[in-house]
Amino acid sequence: MKPCVGSEMYTAKTTSVVVEDTLRLIAGHLPDLMHIHMDRNTTDASEATIKSLRPDFLCWVNGALVLKGEEKAQSRQLEAAIKELTTKMSSAWAAGLVPDKRPPCMLAFAAAGTLLQFFCIQPPESDGDRVQATPISAALDLTTALGRLRALTASCNIWRLLAGYASQAPTVPLESGHVTRSPDGLRTYCLLPGFVRKSIASFATEQAPFASFEVLQDVYSKMSKPEHRRNIIQVYNIEGHAGPQLLNDVYTVHLAPVGVPCQGAPTDLRILAGAVSGVLRGLAALHSEGFVHRDVRWPNVIFLPAERRWLLIDLEHAGLHDCDCSGAPYPLQHWSQRTLDAGGKYTFRSDLRMVAEQLLCGGVTLDEGGRDLRRQLLSGQLTAAAALEHEWLVGSGLE
């Protein structure tokens, strides 16, 4: 195998054969040793922010980003590739996701033209420290047989290091840099340093019928007020811009803090009460500004492991209180026949009925206090702020 030269695509093809294919070959013969998968960056112009912050090559083991690579077209650009190793994703997982564990050192390679060099990336001790890229190989010339042999040997040794890490590694719930796509391909989510990037393509037809771009701008702006920031998901300021963006019919918003999406109701009543309290705080913030969420369910709740609290997310179906939802494109999938108020209006009470029906049903048997809260939410007797004073939530002791 002799490397092709002339473009970054050719460099990627060469490193794919030497590094990626070697790891895949070994993984295919040892499938039970560890959970490993790899990905490469996109050339899609609509994802320029991702490309600027995400390594060219990524490899995760048990959810941790433990190997990455940067690639340049010409051999003279090797130093530029090495520099990018220290500026793009230097931690194996997002801060706070595994609060009791220190991220491991990361392995990496820089490739430029026909040159390939391997490194160890030491995560910074604190915010003010610089990321260090320490060479663990010479710059290998892949035009020579000896250079290719040494590169393949290094790739095999990297496998050994990854296998050693996997034997004692924690499972990381969210993979840094991994792009998740909806089944229809129109929605993407990517965890980048400090925030999640969410995008919706074909916004005019897919999302605008439920919530206009202007409404979403307004709701995220109002939720960024100091009194609301801790209680609900926030826009993240990147490159001097905070708030949703709409360009070429692609909606994009950067969101923080980073948390673990809930898959269903906690089975422990105290934990459930803490989660419901977190959701109600988010609804109270929305309601105080005249907005409703309209999609209150577990997948739209995240857990912050380091802080042991829950946060309401996904404001893309938000609307104004007392909005008319009697006709198409409504109802939403998870509404029930009693979600809307008279005349097909979605109100503050509608959000609270969704709390009762989506969060306080299934997965756990409620005690009398939980059942009483659920009855009052269903009957419309409580506001979100008043529900937070219910003894079942006050006594949870989780927040």
Side-chain angles (χ1 to χ4, degrees), residues 8 39-58 88 177 179 181 188 190 197:
E8 192 169 306
D39 193 16
R40 287 190 167 273
N41 220 338
T42 178
T43 57
D44 186 346
S46 69
E47 297 185 349
T49 298
I50 290 182
K51 185 170 176 57
S52 69
L53 298 174
R54 187 175 185 252
D56 292 326
F57 170 81
L58 308 93
K88 294 183 183 181
V179 178
R181 299 183 185 277
T188 66
C190 183
R197 181 186 187 275

Side-chain angles (χ1 to χ4, degrees), residues 127-144:
D127 292 341
D129 294 342
R130 296 182 62 184
V131 177
Q132 299 294 324
T134 303
I136 56 175
S137 81
L140 306 173
D141 185 354
L142 300 182
T143 63
T144 68

Side-chain angles (χ1 to χ4, degrees), residues 13-146:
K13 181 179 179 180
T14 300
T15 55
S16 176
V17 171
V18 174
V19 180
E20 188 174 348
D21 288 356
T22 300
L23 296 179
R24 291 189 191 280
L25 178 65
I26 301 173
H29 285 83
L30 299 170
D32 299 326
L33 190 60
M34 58 179 158
H35 177 63
I36 180 173
H37 76 278
M38 291 162 268
D39 193 16
R40 287 190 167 273
N41 220 338
T42 178
T43 57
D44 186 346
S46 69
E47 297 185 349
T49 298
I50 290 182
K51 185 170 176 57
S52 69
L53 298 174
R54 187 175 185 252
D56 292 326
F57 170 81
L58 308 93
C59 174
W60 300 269
V61 171
N62 294 353
L65 180 61
V66 291
L67 173 63
K68 66 176 182 176
E70 292 297 339
E71 297 157 340
K72 298 297 180 183
Q74 303 294 331
S75 296
R76 65 177 180 271
Q77 297 176 290
L78 182 62
E79 287 302 319
I82 295 171
K83 182 178 180 181
E84 289 189 0
L85 291 179
T86 66
T87 59
K88 294 183 183 181
M89 290 192 177
S90 57
S91 183
W93 54 70
L97 287 185
V98 190
D100 298 326
K101 297 287 185 178
R102 176 179 170 80
C105 295
M106 188 185 299
L107 299 172
F109 66 81
T114 62
L115 298 180
L116 176 64
Q117 188 170 15
F118 294 91
F119 294 83
C120 175
I121 307 298
Q122 180 69 43
E125 296 285 343
S126 63
D127 292 341
D129 294 342
R130 296 182 62 184
V131 177
Q132 299 294 324
T134 303
I136 56 175
S137 81
L140 306 173
D141 185 354
L142 300 182
T143 63
T144 68
L146 181 59

Side-chain angles (χ1 to χ4, degrees), residues 1-13:
M1 183 277 296
K2 287 193 175 182
C4 300
V5 294
S7 72
E8 192 169 306
M9 180 184 70
Y10 280 139
T11 302
K13 181 179 179 180

